[in-house]
Amino acid sequence: MKVAVTGSSGLIGTRLVAALRTDGHEVLRLVRRTPRTADEHRWDPHHRRIDPDLLSDVDAVVNLAGTPIRPRPFTAGYKEQLRSSRLDSTTTVSEALAAAAGADPGRRRVLLSASAVGYYGDTGDRAVQEDAPPGSDFLARLCADWEAATRPAEDAGVRVVHLRTGLVVGRDAMLMRILGLVFRAGLGGRMGSGRQYWPWISLDDEVDAIRFLLTADVSGPVNLTGPRPVTNAEFVRRLAAAVHRPAVLPVPGLLLSLALGEFGRSSVLAGQRAVPAALERAGYRWTHPDLDDAFRAALQRG
């Protein structure tokens, strides 16, 4: 296949591009800076500009572009950056794919577009599949608008998949870099009550699931999570065991709320018991179905 990838320099994008090439696919990397290699092509999602010929003969677009969500307060400026970086990128590739589909309706195309399990808001201990309604907090509304931005491609007959990703457990993932340092120092513990669910997925399975969805007969939202979500208390207990440290210093919820504001309340103290029903129905098999396996892969050196 000929596959275009946005956000190819990020954690997931870097691994995905390498894997797609190993699979024998031709990969185009859409970048906002001056291209440095033959496989890079410049686009300008901020102004919604892209060469109309760039996607004319691609079979798939994997859209991973967007400002990373970091553990910091959601200021008005940061919220706008998170929204615009996602909506502009998604609208740009969706409209370009729609134009390509209109010019060549015989080619089957797919758009795999990033989203997040934050779509559901705080669901408590209720298991949520892909048909669950959206939440009402900022991240939930952002995910709903993010997914809606793919409508031009969907209306043009492109198969669209929304990649609702959970917490990525990988060697260079932000989550592991931050928590790894804290827990190796012996300063880790549950966050708030610890009863909130943290839906996780290993980096290997995140990449492999995207590869799987390139050709699987699946459309619409797909929870990219491990098959067995765990609570925050269980997550940190297993992480502490993986790094051979105790997890005896809980972080009060009030402190997290004061320090991180809305981010702390919606992304740390709240959670989703998201289960990957669509992936399971499609026959995907996990490399790391267990959190301990995912931690071992993420923490290995070299």
Side-chain angles (χ1 to χ4, degrees):
M1 300 175 71
K2 188 173 185 179
V3 184
V5 180
T6 74
S8 62
S9 62
L11 173 75
I12 298 169
T14 299
R15 285 282 298 271
L16 177 65
V17 167
L20 291 175
R21 287 176 175 152
T22 299
D23 292 340
H25 301 305
E26 179 184 354
V27 180
L28 308 179
R29 300 173 60 201
L30 305 187
V31 299
R32 288 172 293 173
R33 52 170 170 74
T34 301
R36 298 170 184 164
T37 59
D39 68 327
E40 293 185 345
H41 300 268
R42 191 167 190 172
W43 69 320
D44 183 6
H46 180 67
H47 295 98
R48 299 190 178 180
R49 290 199 292 258
I50 189 172
D51 183 341
D53 295 329
L54 193 55
L55 303 185
S56 62
D57 63 344
V58 301
D59 302 292
V61 174
V62 183
N63 176 41
L64 304 175
T67 298
I69 297 177
R70 304 187 184 280
R72 50 169 287 190
F74 284 151
T75 63
Y78 186 39
K79 282 183 175 181
E80 177 54 30
Q81 188 179 2
L82 294 174
R83 280 187 57 83
S84 61
S85 65
R86 285 160 175 74
L87 302 190
D88 290 346
S89 298
T90 304
T91 300
T92 302
V93 295
S94 296
E95 291 179 345
L97 270 178
D104 182 11
R107 182 187 292 268
R108 291 173 58 86
R109 293 177 172 85
V110 58
L111 169 61
L112 307 182
S113 192
S115 183
V117 292
Y119 173 93
Y120 305 110
D122 185 10
T123 64
D125 62 359
R126 173 174 54 91
V128 290
Q129 300 185 9
E130 288 83 357
D131 59 353
S136 58
D137 60 40
F138 166 71
L139 286 179
R141 296 193 305 272
L142 172 58
C143 288
D145 292 343
W146 196 3
E147 294 182 9
T150 63
R151 184 59 59 84
E154 190 173 359
D155 289 345
V158 176
R159 178 169 66 91
V160 175
V161 179
H162 303 295
L163 308 173
R164 292 180 181 168
T165 297
L167 297 170
V168 177
V169 176
R171 182 167 176 260
D172 295 318
M174 185 186 309
L175 175 73
M176 294 303 297
R177 290 204 309 265
I178 295 173
L179 292 185
L181 287 172
V182 172
F183 276 75
R184 283 192 175 97
L187 301 175
R190 62 173 169 79
M191 301 176 190
S193 71
R195 294 190 295 270
Q196 68 275 28
Y197 272 83
W198 274 19
W200 59 273
I201 186 169
S202 75
L203 179 56
D204 290 329
D205 279 312
E206 174 77 10
V207 171
D208 289 348
I210 293 173
R211 294 159 68 194
F212 174 82
L213 291 167
L214 280 173
T215 56
D217 186 18
V218 177
S219 59
V222 176
N223 289 341
L224 294 194
T225 62
R228 293 188 285 273
V230 299
T231 63
N232 167 262
E234 182 70 8
F235 188 98
V236 300
R237 183 187 69 79
R238 294 196 188 186
L239 176 56
V243 297
H244 309 292
R245 294 290 190 276
V248 294
L249 294 176
V251 184
L254 179 60
L255 178 61
L256 287 167
S257 181
L258 290 173
L260 299 175
E262 187 177 354
F263 172 85
R265 292 188 293 273
S266 64
S267 298
V268 180
L269 300 175
Q272 304 81 27
R273 192 177 180 180
V275 294
L279 274 180
E280 289 180 327
R281 286 195 301 267
Y284 178 77
R285 293 188 176 184
W286 278 261
T287 299
H288 303 295
D290 184 79
L291 181 58
D292 293 333
D293 293 336
F295 280 146
R296 278 192 288 270
L299 295 170
Q300 65 185 358
R301 299 185 181 276

